[in-house]
Amino acid sequence: MEKTNLIKILKLFVRRGNFILSSLIPTDIYFDLKEAYGNPRILNSLADCVYELIDKRVTCVAGKGFGGMPLATAISSRHNLELTLIRDMQKEYGTKKLIEAHIPTRKDKIAIVDDVFTTGASLKGAIKTLEISEVSEGKIVQCCVIVKRGEGELKYPWSYLINLEELL
């Protein structure tokens, strides 16, 4: 998808008002990409665009939370990559898993995806879970997001489709 078309679509999901982000940062601009995920054509287009950022050695895509899991699922399904779902907290029932679906093996190269990067906390949480997991043996190679709204460092290379300035 052409960048100008992507920007036009994403602008539909910019909300103005008084919001508190998951990082507890107050803002007057919110990117409601979960609403975008409700439209299969838009979700698939976003998944395809993010897939273009992903290193082609990647064998597994991982997502955490409502921003990462739907995006990772769409990328996995559309581009035949293994899917790893990371819980925010370990279940207290059933199998008590923190990592669901595909458990990365030593052969796996992992890309972690999310909707918006503000401080990187969600991606850092996903990285930590995969790194300390007793079951996951895959190698994280990168992280990708749709919108970059803040600055921050990650342990792994990361990329984005659109930044805050381009959307405003």
Side-chain angles (χ1 to χ4, degrees):
M1 176 184 301
E2 220 176 86
K3 194 163 194 171
T4 54
N5 289 336
L6 179 62
I7 290 171
K8 284 180 190 175
I9 289 170
L10 290 177
K11 281 186 176 193
L12 297 172
F13 303 99
V14 174
R15 305 289 177 253
R16 300 223 180 236
N18 294 313
F19 305 98
I20 303 292
L21 302 175
S22 62
S23 58
L24 303 180
I25 297 171
T27 184
D28 60 350
I29 300 168
Y30 183 77
F31 301 108
D32 196 357
L33 295 182
K34 281 71 150 185
E35 185 179 333
Y37 290 173
N39 180 308
R41 285 188 316 247
I42 294 173
L43 174 58
N44 288 336
S45 291
L46 291 172
D48 291 346
C49 289
V50 172
Y51 176 75
E52 291 303 315
L53 298 174
I54 293 176
D55 183 314
K56 298 313 174 229
R57 297 174 301 147
V58 164
T59 59
C60 175
V61 62
K64 179 181 179 193
F66 284 114
M69 285 186 188
L71 183 60
T73 301
I75 293 168
S76 167
S77 177
R78 292 179 65 77
H79 299 283
N80 201 31
L81 296 173
E82 298 289 350
L83 173 65
T84 297
L85 302 174
I86 303 165
R87 292 182 173 275
D88 288 331
M89 295 174 44
Q90 189 170 6
K91 290 185 347 182
E92 296 294 324
Y93 54 89
T95 59
K96 300 183 180 181
K97 291 181 180 179
L98 192 55
I99 299 174
E100 299 279 359
H102 176 71
I103 307 299
T105 67
R106 284 190 180 117
K107 295 178 183 176
D108 283 311
K109 308 264 187 285
I110 306 165
I112 304 171
V113 299
D114 203 2
D115 59 347
V116 179
F117 181 102
T118 302
T119 64
S122 181
L123 291 172
K124 289 174 186 174
I127 289 167
K128 181 178 178 183
T129 299
L130 288 169
E131 287 181 341
I132 66 169
S133 169
E134 294 177 6
V135 295
S136 175
E137 298 177 333
K139 179 180 189 310
I140 300 166
V141 296
Q142 76 180 115
C143 300
C144 300
V145 298
I146 297 170
V147 176
K148 175 186 174 268
R149 74 173 290 140
E151 297 296 326
E153 294 291 322
L154 291 176
K155 207 172 168 175
Y156 299 96
W158 67 282
S159 53
Y160 58 92
L161 292 175
I162 303 291
N163 65 39
L164 176 67
E165 293 76 26
E166 292 173 298
L167 279 177
L168 304 178

